[in-house]
Amino acid sequence: MRIVLLGCPGAGKGTQSKILSERYGFPHIATGDLFRAEITAGSVLGLQVAGYLKSGTLVPDAVVVEMVAGKLQGCPDGFLLDGFPRTLEQAQALDKLLRQEGSQIDMVMHLHMREEEVVRRLTGRRSCSSCGALYNVVSHLPRVDGKCDHCGADLIQRDDDGSAIVRKRLMVYEDLTRPLVAYYRAANVFRELDGGRPVEEVTLALMAVIDGARVRS
Ligand code: AMP
């Protein structure tokens, strides 16, 4: 299946995508993670995009689309997109790329959340500096303070999870990404889910949608 997980920063796209891609074996393509890996590696692309990530603004469409196009070539049987598309131009470019190979997006699932809850979640978010596992100082504490449950490495806060940048990222989402809800609703591949519920409940709701679509196809 070709799935897009849509939602504002902090709605749980990363957490849920990791769970779903393990459960179903879908390749997980997370553009934010890919950019952060390039920045850490000090690559040309990493240097090119670092300023955008730091300021909470979007990387130019052409740069993102080129990176995603390369990744999609390795996924002929489907994928789970997390953090892409984020603009109408990206959505149209994705449709075009898929049309060229005779396929299309099968499903878009939108995790919606209230803004205050999003800010609380994002500013409390921590991730493992080694394996990337996600935690939250409010809702999902590690067993040992500041250390990853899985590998024991230090937990860190993302550079762009401070409150000023979080608010900037939410404004960018409202302006540029929210219009995708109408775009995909019109394409009839759209499902809306409450991202504010506990992680396990959201996972079950997403799985019900995916399993239902698989039975029908
Ligand atoms: P994320 O981890 O998805 O919250 O993304 C972190 C940052 O990476 C965003 O604030 C943007 O600067 C950049 N980014 C990730 N995905 C995209 C995208 N599809 N289009 C433009 N910029 C992106």
Side-chain angles (χ1 to χ4, degrees), residues 31-32 35-36 52-53 56-59 64 83-84 86 90 158 160 169:
T31 43
F35 286 136
R36 281 184 289 277
Y52 297 103
L53 273 85
T57 52
L58 293 188
V59 172
V64 193
F84 180 92
R86 252 173 157 105
Q90 291 178 18
R158 268 172 53 170
D160 58 352
R169 288 164 61 208

Side-chain angles (χ1 to χ4, degrees), residues 8-10 13 30-36 49-61 64-65 67-68 82-87 90 122 125 158 160-161 165 169 172:
C8 64
K13 300 187 301 296
T31 43
D33 288 350
L34 292 170
F35 286 136
R36 281 184 289 277
V49 302
Y52 297 103
L53 273 85
K54 204 170 168 47
S55 63
T57 52
L58 293 188
V59 172
D61 290 332
V64 193
V65 169
M67 179 177 76
V68 171
D82 158 13
F84 180 92
R86 252 173 157 105
T87 64
Q90 291 178 18
L122 281 178
R125 185 158 75 171
R158 268 172 53 170
D160 58 352
D161 275 349
I165 301 293
R169 288 164 61 208
V172 169

